[in-house]
Amino acid sequence: MTATHPTHGHRTAKHGLATGMMVFAAVMLMITGILAVMRGIAAIAEDEVFVSTPNYVFAFDLTGWGWIHLALGVVAVLVSMGLFQGSGWARVIGVGIAGLVIIANFLSLPAYPVWSVVVIAMSAFIIWALCTPRRGDA
């Protein structure tokens, strides 16, 4: 019978949590990306889903917002695929993309306020999950 180190189970649990957080971040980033692509397409098509606010400080054309969300969504989906493979570059870029998604949704609050707040919260969880240290990280 071999003796086990008393913290072995704790390390395994921490490793499992960190791995689970990475998968969580990858799934959430993919969902956020797909939804951003759909939101971008809807805005580019000038769908009647969005509210037009004429006196907003950060006024952009609805089509311009659509292209911004479409581009961020495509990049988010691609980065999430890198996260599923466990790439280190994907963690760094994922945090950056989630941050840009937060900014884009903050600036487009008047066009679709409830959904913007939901996506901001999702992106904050993505950043949190990607910044959770994994076993072996310094």
Side-chain angles (χ1 to χ4, degrees), residues 16-41:
L17 178 65
T19 302
M21 297 303 280
M22 182 66 71
V23 172
F24 169 79
V27 169
M28 292 302 288
L29 190 61
M30 181 166 281
I31 291 170
T32 301
I34 290 169
L35 293 173
V37 167
M38 288 188 220
R39 182 177 181 177
I41 291 170

Side-chain angles (χ1 to χ4, degrees), residues 37-130:
V37 167
M38 288 188 220
R39 182 177 181 177
I41 291 170
I44 292 168
E46 296 184 22
D47 196 356
E48 297 298 319
V49 172
F50 300 100
V51 176
S52 179
T53 307
N55 295 325
Y56 186 53
V57 175
F58 304 109
F60 278 96
D61 181 37
L62 189 57
T63 304
W65 279 121
W67 284 109
I68 290 169
H69 286 285
L70 181 66
L72 286 173
V74 168
V75 173
V77 169
L78 293 174
V79 170
S80 71
M81 290 179 194
L83 287 172
F84 280 119
Q85 296 173 351
S87 300
W89 63 265
R91 286 181 75 184
V92 174
I93 295 174
V95 170
I97 289 298
L100 290 174
V101 168
I102 287 174
I103 293 168
N105 280 282
F106 175 76
L107 295 176
S108 64
L109 271 169
Y112 211 59
V114 175
W115 185 245
S116 292
V117 170
V118 169
V119 174
I120 288 170
M122 287 173 57
S123 297
F125 279 119
I126 292 167
I127 291 171
W128 172 69
L130 290 176

